[in-house]
Amino acid sequence: MKNFTTSASQETAFTVSQLNRQIQQLLEASLPWILVEGEISNLAKPGSGHWYFSLKDDKAQIRCAMFKGKNAAVRFKPKDGDMVRLRARVTFYGPRGDCQLSVESMESAGEGALQQAFERLKNNLQAEGLFAPEHKKPLPTKPERVAIITSPVGAAVRDMIIAFRRRFPLTELTILPSLVQGQDASKNILRQLQRADGSGHFDAIILGRGGGSLEDLWSFNDETLARAIFAAQTPIVSAVGHETDFTIADFVADVRAATPTAAAELLSPDRNQLIRQIEQQEKQLVRRMSRILEQCQQQLDFTTKRIRHPKERIEQQQNQLDQLKHRLRQSMQRKVSEQRSQAANLAHRLERNSPTRRIDQDRQKLKDIDARLARALSNTLTNKQTAFARIVDKLNLVSPLNTLARGYAIASRDKQVIRSVNDVEKGDAIKIRVQDGEIACEVVESKASS
């Protein structure tokens, strides 16, 4: 320490460390805990887990530190430019002569006002009866189609999809993408809600997003959205934030789920119970099918008796062909008679009206026409007979009786024709139909041709 003397008095000078220590004592004594608001800038989050940043307004700034044990309780992710309210104490670091704030807690600067607005809206809607249990619609036990109104990216939609696929993958999910945070988020959510409810297509609707601060979740505290949820005809599950987060949508919705995953589990049927129900219904179905099969077997037996033998059909077609042949002959005979009659008339006219030479020529022509007509009729008859013979041959070729007559046989099992060695197994009872009856056999060995 250096002493200076003057003519008036002798004064004691501080060292720098003494001065800084005095300043530290005065600051920490006069400002133990304070609330301060400002804008975050130069935010740094090193690997130690501590946060370092500056808090500023339009005229000044001060450095701040928020250590790992304190910042873990912050319910939102601060970033440069965020307006925050800090509870802190002023500290003074003597060796450098620096003043900074040691932050105890942090919240969004608007969160206090938002909380008051939240409570006012909650009380008003509760007084109107929008939260009353008698207005809550029950959730469907086995929803087939579920609409999810949420952000198309992020953990919330992924967790809900995974939960549905794990518990009951048959549920048809429709993701209706929407903003869930920001200025237009509530309008987006309202539009998608009205779209989903108005379609009448869905059995339930989920409103969901992940956790966040009161400001982050504010879009779910919109009064218009709350009234739309209350008026909706489709059951609505609100799954906003974490278990400790509450929004107006949670109170108005038919069911509030603690998390998005919990919402998916509420709308997913219990797989084990469904399996038991399916097994019971399977037994009932087997009994009903057995009765139906018995009835069908009786109908088959009755129909089998009514089926006509192929030989009868061939005989019927043979009779039809005979009738056609007879009619054809009659038609040709009538035609010949008509032609002859016409020829006779012409000859008679010629005899009366034409010279002898003309008559001879016409007679010769008549003979030629008569010969040609006879040949044409003969050819036509021959062609018809040939065609008829071909039809009979074709019918004989496709007749199963003709096939059996040539030494072939038809093997069947349970009235089903055996077409491959793969249709039977060793020990199967089969029947072999031959020309004059059936032979009952048992399969000893089946071997495919190489």
Side-chain angles (χ1 to χ4, degrees):
M1 183 184 296
K2 222 176 200 181
N3 294 330
F4 298 90
T5 59
T6 64
S7 57
S9 63
Q10 184 175 355
E11 293 180 320
T12 301
F14 290 96
T15 64
V16 175
S17 59
Q18 289 175 331
L19 176 61
N20 285 352
R21 188 164 48 252
Q22 186 69 23
I23 293 172
Q24 180 182 8
Q25 292 173 356
L26 290 172
L27 282 175
E28 294 181 355
S30 60
L31 297 172
W33 292 102
I34 59 171
L35 292 176
V36 59
E37 292 183 356
E39 178 183 339
I40 293 177
S41 65
N42 301 320
L43 176 62
K45 297 179 180 180
S48 63
H50 308 318
W51 293 352
Y52 301 96
F53 57 95
S54 296
L55 192 69
K56 67 176 184 178
D57 58 19
D58 58 343
K59 296 180 180 178
Q61 65 179 3
I62 186 171
R63 285 188 289 188
C64 304
M66 191 171 191
F67 299 106
K68 183 177 180 180
K70 304 296 183 181
N71 61 38
V74 177
R75 299 174 58 188
F76 67 102
K77 296 181 179 179
K79 60 183 183 299
D80 288 346
D82 284 354
M83 294 296 296
V84 295
R85 173 181 291 184
L86 306 180
R87 176 175 174 80
R89 55 187 177 85
V90 179
T91 60
F92 187 86
Y93 187 63
R96 287 200 309 266
D98 291 337
C99 181
Q100 73 173 17
L101 297 180
S102 179
V103 181
E104 177 74 13
S105 64
M106 176 190 296
E107 64 182 18
S108 175
E111 194 160 315
L114 290 178
Q115 186 64 40
Q116 294 178 8
F118 173 86
E119 293 298 333
R120 283 197 303 272
L121 179 59
K122 176 184 173 183
N123 292 335
N124 291 340
L125 296 181
Q126 186 173 17
E128 293 183 31
L130 269 68
F131 304 165
E134 58 267 23
H135 297 308
K136 306 294 184 183
K137 294 179 286 295
L139 296 183
T141 56
K142 298 176 184 177
E144 297 180 1
R145 295 174 294 275
V146 175
I148 300 177
I149 302 176
T150 187
S151 171
V153 296
V157 65
R158 184 176 63 253
D159 292 344
M160 285 187 280
I161 292 174
I162 292 174
F164 273 108
R165 293 294 174 261
R166 171 175 50 85
R167 288 175 56 86
F168 194 70
L170 297 180
T171 303
E172 176 187 306
L173 301 180
T174 301
I175 308 300
L176 300 178
S178 173
L179 296 173
V180 293
Q181 182 175 339
Q183 182 177 1
D184 296 326
S186 60
K187 294 179 180 178
N188 270 223
I189 299 168
L190 176 62
R191 187 182 308 113
Q192 295 291 40
L193 173 62
Q194 292 173 338
R195 173 187 171 192
D197 184 59
S199 70
H201 178 72
F202 301 102
D203 300 318
I205 300 173
I206 298 177
L207 302 179
R209 65 149 287 161
S213 65
L214 180 61
E215 185 176 7
D216 294 338
L217 305 179
W218 192 251
S219 56
F220 293 88
N221 295 321
D222 182 78
E223 181 176 357
T224 304
L225 176 61
R227 296 187 183 279
I229 294 173
F230 180 79
Q233 300 300 311
T234 309
I236 296 177
V237 178
S238 177
V240 181
H242 300 302
E243 187 171 358
T244 56
D245 297 324
F246 283 89
T247 65
I248 297 299
D250 292 333
F251 296 107
V252 184
D254 299 298
V255 175
R256 184 248 178 188
T259 62
T261 300
E265 292 175 351
L266 284 173
L267 291 172
S268 301
D270 180 35
R271 177 181 295 182
N272 293 330
Q273 182 179 357
L274 288 178
I275 290 175
R276 289 193 295 269
Q277 293 177 358
I278 291 173
E279 290 174 348
Q280 183 178 1
Q281 292 173 357
E282 181 183 10
K283 293 178 181 178
Q284 295 176 355
L285 181 61
V286 168
R287 289 194 295 267
R288 292 181 61 186
M289 288 302 298
S290 297
R291 290 194 297 268
I292 293 173
L293 286 174
E294 291 174 357
Q295 295 174 359
C296 291
Q297 185 64 51
Q298 292 177 358
Q299 292 177 357
L300 179 61
D301 293 339
F302 177 76
T303 304
T304 302
K305 295 178 181 178
R306 298 177 60 188
I307 293 176
R308 298 176 61 186
H309 195 279
K311 183 178 180 180
E312 295 178 1
R313 297 187 61 186
I314 293 173
E315 291 175 351
Q316 181 184 8
Q317 293 176 355
Q318 181 68 51
N319 293 331
Q320 291 177 353
L321 287 174
D322 293 337
Q323 293 175 2
L324 291 173
K325 181 178 178 181
H326 178 68
R327 290 169 59 187
L328 179 61
R329 287 177 177 173
Q330 289 179 340
S331 177
M332 288 189 296
Q333 289 174 356
R334 283 195 302 269
K335 190 70 174 178
V336 170
S337 298
E338 291 173 359
Q339 293 292 332
R340 287 177 177 174
S341 177
Q342 291 177 1
N345 290 333
L346 289 173
H348 180 68
R349 291 172 61 188
L350 284 172
E351 288 176 356
R352 288 184 305 173
N353 302 319
S354 9
T356 304
R357 186 177 179 182
R358 184 74 176 270
I359 293 173
D360 292 338
Q361 291 176 349
D362 289 341
R363 284 177 179 174
Q364 186 61 40
K365 288 181 181 179
L366 284 173
K367 290 179 181 180
D368 293 339
I369 292 172
D370 190 59
R372 289 166 57 190
L373 179 60
R375 288 194 300 269
L377 291 175
S378 177
N379 291 337
T380 301
L381 182 59
T382 301
N383 292 335
K384 294 295 183 178
Q385 289 175 340
T386 303
F388 172 72
R390 289 176 180 172
I391 293 174
V392 173
D393 290 340
K394 288 181 179 180
L395 288 174
N396 288 332
L397 285 175
V398 298
S399 172
L401 296 178
N402 193 31
T403 302
L404 295 177
R406 292 201 304 269
Y408 291 93
I410 300 175
S412 63
R413 181 174 68 87
D414 296 334
K415 298 186 178 180
Q416 299 291 325
V417 176
I418 300 172
R419 305 178 185 277
S420 169
V421 295
N422 296 325
D423 293 343
V424 297
E425 297 179 354
K426 184 178 179 180
D428 285 351
I430 65 174
K431 291 183 178 180
I432 299 177
R433 181 171 181 82
V434 294
Q435 181 184 9
D436 55 352
E438 288 184 348
I439 303 173
C441 300
E442 179 180 340
V443 177
V444 178
E445 180 182 6
S446 60
K447 181 178 180 183
S449 61
S450 57

